[in-house]
Amino acid sequence: MVFPRDNGCFLVDPFAGATVKLPALSCIRLRPPNAADKYVKYQDHVTPNGKHYVTWLDIRDFKHVPTLNKLIVCSPNLVAAFVGTGQISQILMCQPGASSWSVRAYDPCDGFEDMVFYHGKLYALADDENLLAINISQDPSTGDPQVSRIGLVIKGDPDPLFEAWFPDDSTARKKLNLVESRGALLMVRRKVCCRMVGDTIVAGRISEFEVLEADFGHSRWVNVTTLGDDQMLFLGRPCSKVMSASQYGMSSDQIFFLDDVTENAVRYAFDEENTSVNVYDMRDGEVSSPLPMSWKHEILATWLFPRD
């Protein structure tokens, strides 16, 4: 589990009690080192198609404190995270015990939805469903890990009806996750049905899911109708994992999911006093609430898995 603090971030094993310290989010090593001296606001950053983009220096200049959205321990010497504010974020790198994170100061920030360490490489998923490969190198002066290049692996083809409004004041918000399943890399697309209540977008109780597999040979996402024989999926922003269903007396092709409260705050609100664990059955498309547990929205929930 990850606990960001002013004096650092802490990785804690809740079972063994072991703790690893990471740098505080305020301790950032810019690349290039003189980037802050040449900082200009985002209005002056323009892509070839004429659109403005935001960099890490702009995020740092915003009034909101950057939030740690996702953290992955890739190896004993490499920790990756994406950090941002609102719906924009940037990828940071560090070693456990290091004094600072590394970030490419001039790279455009993106709407990163999820990140995974897969087959020895780091991949990030953006909100436009682009799958990006993160190439990592070492700082020649310190030996610390740093992002050397971010390359497009699969170009997304998102449904244009997401975020669109319909005559009955309803709309849909999209949530994306990456997860490995038996050697395949899957993108899980969740459709959250919403409606307008006054001036607020409010999530309903209906969710729909699609599962797509990364076809690296043809650089595309391919729809699949099953997680694979004897597989079930636990889905959440901090952590997602595919596990054996029969090992725990469960049924296969079920997706257990949580509402990521912190993330949702900028997209939609809830009209329920409590939120519970829900499960989507890929075989019939039904959503049910199999567990009696519930929690207040102010409390962040996550999955804890037994060690492999």
Side-chain angles (χ1 to χ4, degrees), residues 119-241:
H119 286 188
K121 294 192 68 174
L122 187 66
Y123 293 91
L125 181 66
D127 55 7
D128 55 7
E129 301 183 11
N130 284 348
L131 182 67
L132 308 167
I134 316 301
N135 292 334
I136 302 166
S137 63
Q138 285 187 314
D139 186 305
S141 60
T142 65
D144 290 332
Q146 60 187 18
V147 175
S148 60
R149 182 177 178 273
I150 300 178
L152 179 66
V153 178
I154 295 178
K155 184 172 177 56
D157 184 25
D159 187 339
L161 293 181
F162 280 108
E163 307 285 333
W165 285 95
F166 296 95
D168 62 351
D169 276 343
S170 66
T171 185
R173 293 295 184 261
K174 177 175 63 176
K175 302 178 71 173
L176 302 173
N177 290 87
L178 283 176
V179 63
E180 181 179 356
S181 177
R182 291 190 169 181
L185 183 61
L186 304 179
M187 175 177 71
V188 183
R189 181 194 291 144
R190 177 184 171 192
K191 176 182 177 182
V192 182
C193 299
C194 302
R195 67 185 188 279
M196 181 64 75
V197 178
D199 296 327
T200 305
I201 301 174
V202 178
R205 303 301 297 174
I206 299 175
S207 286
E208 300 172 2
F209 288 83
E210 291 180 276
V211 180
L212 302 95
E213 181 178 338
D215 180 350
F216 289 97
H218 296 90
S219 299
R220 63 182 181 178
W221 294 110
V222 179
N223 282 86
V224 296
T225 58
T226 178
L227 295 172
D229 184 42
D230 192 36
Q231 302 295 286
M232 60 181 178
L233 170 60
F234 291 84
L235 201 65
R237 176 62 65 236
C239 185
S240 299
K241 190 171 184 178

